[in-house]
Each structure stands twice: as structure tokens, then as C-alpha cells.
Amino acid sequence: SPDEAIFYTSGRSSNEAAFLYQLFIRAFGTNNLPDCSNMCHESSGVALTETLGLGKGSVTLDDFEKAEVIVIMGQNPGTNHPRMLTTLEKAKKNGAKIVAINPLLETGLLGFKNPQTMEGLFGKGTTLTDLYLQIRINGDLALLKAACKKLIDLKAIDFEFIKNNTEAFDDFLKQFETVDIGSLLEDAGISLAQFEELMNLLATNSKIIVCWAMGLTQHKNSVATIQEVVNLLLLRGSIGIEGAVTCPVRGHSNVQGDRTVGIMHKPSAAFNEAIKKNFGFTPPQQHGYDLVEAIEAMYENKAKVFFALGGNFLSASPDTEYTAQAMK
């Protein structure tokens, strides 16, 4: 059966190769298309699609130069996305305030020495962060809920934007009637004074970018956390204007591109219809294995063939020993 074969894709592949790959696999007869996004921004895609209708980031580099506040959550730019530090440095020089929310202190955010400038090579470097909140691991959701509650209490809300662009706002407000900010901050692991510093920035600016990576996406409550990021931005009207967007930061070079050209284990009806119309065959309708399901299928001998386009499946997977046994 074609469904006994698994076809993995890494973001290291090009759009052209990935497009042909998924076409071949669907012609072969399966949607077993796990990819590195399953370990990466799968939760971002779900959360953003359900809230905004777009499962990808809506940011451009120009937005960073126009932002008033940049919030970096669950992400270590200096370690994992070093080129981003130059962008943050430019934003800082343009007047943006930068907030880092992470249990780990990231050296690059505390003192960035740009290797492409004389000042960076011989100077003291740039302190990028204006506020660094070392929250508890997975304390992000509690902090975001506290921030939304505070904005509501302060009436620091763009009511016109909400009226024209959102739905179910009254239902959203009801959940905060019994919410206690003190309890949420205890769960988040930060002080009231730190929280007030954060809220002073969020309540007085509307050009806000929130960036996040694996520190948010790989928890069991990751979808809810990212949806709360969106809620926060919607309250301030910080969606759809220059300098105010969602920014899920990708780790691989081309994860988003692969998804755009059809690397997905749950293709939409519209996508399947487009395949049929353009290429003259009916693609499989049944959803295929995601990455975790693919590993389990190999472990349980339900899968007979494993094919990888780019990447290092064993090193990238979350449980190396279990994955190795599955592949054996």
C-alpha cells in the first residue's frame, strides 16, 4: 500500500524540488508527508489560521524599522537566528523598545557586537533589550493573559479596530471577569514591578511586533499561547498596519516555502481539487502521518519505506533513541 511509505521533507529543500516531490508522492497515492514544520511551527500555523486566517507570519524586514515595540518570546536570536540581531539593532536605533521574554539570558540580546561595523568590532556593543523578563518555563500563557487583562482594565484598547475587524469580543471579555493578575504573575514567575514596565510599553504603543520560536511552539498548550499573542495584538489594533505584525521566526531556511508548495500531511479540499484540475489525477483524500505518527508507524512496523528529502531526520526528531529504534 502507498500508505506504508513515509516521505519526510526538510526546510533545506528548495521550493521547486519540494513541489515536484509532493506531486510525485500524491501521484504515488499517499499523504504521508511529515516535515520539519511538525517539530517547528505547526502550532503557529494552527493558531494563526484559526485566529487570522493566515497560517504564516505577516512580517517584513521593513516592519522592524517602523516598530515601536518588539517583543521576543521563547526565542534566542543570538544562538539560533544571528542575522536577526542586525535587524534588531537597526530597529533600536530607530527608536524601538525591545522586550525579551525568556527563562534563559541570551548574551546576544544583552550586548550585540555587529561584526560588519567598526563600532561592533572595537566598541562595547549594543544593548538591544530595554526589558528582560526571565519568566518560568512555559509561563508565557499566564503572562499574556495578565497583559490582556491589564489592557482591558486600563481601557487601553483600540475599540474601533475591534469593532471593524474582529468577532466574539464580548465572549472574549467574559473570561477575564474572574481573572486575578497577581495569580497569573505568580504562574509566570515575574514581579508586579516588571509587569508594570511591560504594560507601560504595550499600553502606550500600537506598532507592536511579537516574535516567537520553539520556546512557545513546543509546549502542549502552544496553540493556546500563540492565540493569546494574537489576542494581545488585536486588543491594541496591532495587526495589518506597518510595524505591527505576527512574527513566528523560522529555524530552517525554507520551512514556510515548502508548506506553500504543498508539503503537508493534511491537504485542503481546495488544494486537492487544484492538483486534479492541473495534473489530471485524483490525489489521495485521507490525511497522512505527521512526524510523530510517522515515527510511531515505523516503530510498530506499519511503515515499510522511509524516504527523506534533505535534513537529518534522526537528529531533528524529539526522541533520538525511540526514533533510532523505529528506523532500525
Side-chain angles (χ1 to χ4, degrees), residues 21 48 73 106 194 271 311:
Y21 187 61
L48 292 173
M73 305 184 71
E106 172 71 39
Q194 290 174 309
F271 181 83

Side-chain angles (χ1 to χ4, degrees), residues 117 126 144 149 168 173 177 205 268 277 317 321:
T117 66
T126 305
L144 289 164
K149 166 69 171 172
L173 289 179
E177 291 174 359
N205 295 284
S268 66
K277 179 181 177 182
S317 299
E321 186 175 343

Side-chain angles (χ1 to χ4, degrees), residues 9-18 21 253-255 258 263 309-311:
T9 321
S10 163
R12 299 299 182 198
S13 63
S14 68
N15 284 342
E16 294 81 3
Y21 187 61
S253 49
N254 198 36
V255 181
D258 282 354
I263 300 295
L309 179 68

Side-chain angles (χ1 to χ4, degrees), residues 87-298:
T87 301
L88 293 174
E89 185 180 45
K90 287 181 182 177
K92 179 86 172 181
K93 289 179 178 178
N94 286 345
K97 299 294 184 181
I98 299 176
V99 180
I101 301 172
N102 199 326
L104 178 72
L105 279 175
E106 172 71 39
T107 304
L109 290 173
L110 298 173
F112 171 52
K113 294 186 176 183
N114 190 336
Q116 296 179 318
T117 66
M118 294 297 289
E119 182 184 351
L121 287 172
F122 300 105
K124 294 181 179 179
T126 305
T127 301
L128 295 177
T129 50
D130 296 278
L131 179 61
Y132 210 121
L133 302 179
Q134 283 187 270
I135 61 167
R136 290 198 177 107
I137 292 174
N138 200 20
D140 309 270
L141 182 56
L143 179 59
L144 289 164
K145 281 190 175 295
C148 289
K149 166 69 171 172
K150 187 68 175 180
L151 289 176
I152 293 166
D153 290 348
L154 292 172
K155 292 185 171 53
I157 296 172
D158 189 333
F159 289 103
E160 190 67 20
F161 175 88
I162 290 168
K163 178 184 175 183
N164 294 331
N165 299 285
T166 69
E167 57 185 24
F169 180 57
D170 290 338
D171 292 334
F172 174 74
L173 289 179
K174 286 177 184 175
Q175 67 175 301
F176 291 98
E177 291 174 359
T178 57
V179 165
D180 178 59
I181 288 178
S183 297
L184 289 171
L185 294 183
E186 191 174 329
D187 291 340
I190 66 166
S191 69
L192 180 61
Q194 290 174 309
F195 178 67
E196 293 294 348
E197 280 190 75
L198 171 67
M199 294 314 302
N200 184 52
L201 293 172
L202 296 179
T204 57
N205 295 284
S206 59
K207 292 185 177 182
I208 302 167
I209 296 175
V210 180
C211 312
W212 70 89
M214 304 302 94
L216 259 61
T217 66
Q218 294 192 344
H219 293 289
K220 288 183 177 180
N221 60 348
S222 57
V223 172
T225 301
I226 295 160
Q227 286 176 334
E228 210 63 35
V229 169
V230 175
N231 288 334
L232 177 68
L233 292 171
L234 291 176
L235 286 174
R236 293 295 299 137
S238 302
I239 294 283
I241 60 173
E242 290 184 332
V245 283
T246 56
C247 181
V249 183
R250 305 285 179 169
H252 274 285
S253 49
N254 198 36
V255 181
Q256 187 163 307
D258 282 354
R259 275 295 170 92
T260 301
V261 299
I263 300 295
M264 62 189 84
H265 62 283
K266 292 182 177 181
S268 66
F271 181 83
N272 282 336
E273 186 59 34
I275 292 284
K276 182 178 179 180
K277 179 181 177 182
N278 285 279
F279 297 100
F281 71 91
T282 301
Q285 308 296 306
Q286 182 179 341
H287 290 167
Y289 293 137
D290 64 18
L291 184 127
V292 173
E293 291 165 344
I295 296 171
E296 290 172 345
M298 286 190 284

Side-chain angles (χ1 to χ4, degrees), residues 8-30:
Y8 174 71
T9 321
S10 163
R12 299 299 182 198
S13 63
S14 68
N15 284 342
E16 294 81 3
F19 176 75
L20 290 173
Y21 187 61
Q22 64 83 28
L23 194 62
F24 147 64
I25 293 160
R26 292 192 162 99
F28 178 62
T30 185

